[in-house]
Amino acid sequence: MATDVGTQLRKGVVEYCVLGLLQGAPTYGWKISERLVSLGLIGSIGTLYPLLSRLRDQGLIIAQADESDSARPRKYYSLTPAGREQLGLFRAQWQPFSDAVSTIIATPTATPTATPNKEE
């Protein structure tokens, strides 16, 4: 069993968190990274760009360069229809899954649900 449970949990959901961050409006990578780092979902911006590449390769997001006059154009990411669909599927499964896990790992109450068999 993994010793760093948090790392394993983050690996399973951080891609969906990126999709969630992009559901409102196109966002540039640094802004996505700041949000994920502040929430403890990634360690640094360096872990974000490979993740964004995977999501692009899967057709879940697209990237568009900002054509402004700035010296360094920003790349904005947005959801594709497939990305919106994938986020919807995740949403539909997340709450029941989370509820089930919470039920199982909840702190036990004072009255046990089963008693062990004891030979007298």
Side-chain angles (χ1 to χ4, degrees):
M1 190 170 265
T3 54
D4 186 1
V5 176
T7 298
Q8 294 303 314
L9 291 172
R10 285 187 296 276
K11 281 183 184 179
V13 299
V14 73
E15 289 181 356
Y16 296 101
C17 292
V18 169
L19 297 179
L21 289 173
L22 295 176
Q23 68 185 329
T27 308
Y28 59 97
W30 186 265
K31 192 75 168 171
I32 296 167
S33 172
E34 282 181 330
R35 184 73 171 135
L36 294 174
V37 168
S38 73
L39 294 170
L41 294 170
I42 63 171
S44 69
I45 193 167
T47 58
L48 177 65
Y49 288 102
L51 187 151
L52 291 171
S53 291
R54 281 194 307 275
L55 293 173
R56 270 197 339 253
D57 291 346
Q58 295 169 10
L60 302 177
I61 65 172
I62 58 170
Q64 295 175 312
D66 178 16
E67 301 297 329
S68 68
D69 293 333
S70 67
R72 210 170 155 188
R74 289 182 173 163
K75 192 179 285 189
Y76 282 81
Y77 297 89
S78 56
L79 286 180
T80 63
R84 289 191 188 288
E85 182 179 343
Q86 192 66 34
L87 180 58
L89 292 170
F90 179 78
R91 239 190 232 117
Q93 294 178 27
W94 175 254
Q95 197 59 57
F97 175 80
S98 176
D99 291 347
V101 171
S102 294
T103 297
I104 291 169
I105 65 169
T107 304
T109 60
T111 53
T113 57
T115 55
N117 291 335
K118 290 184 180 181
E119 292 183 22
E120 290 186 41

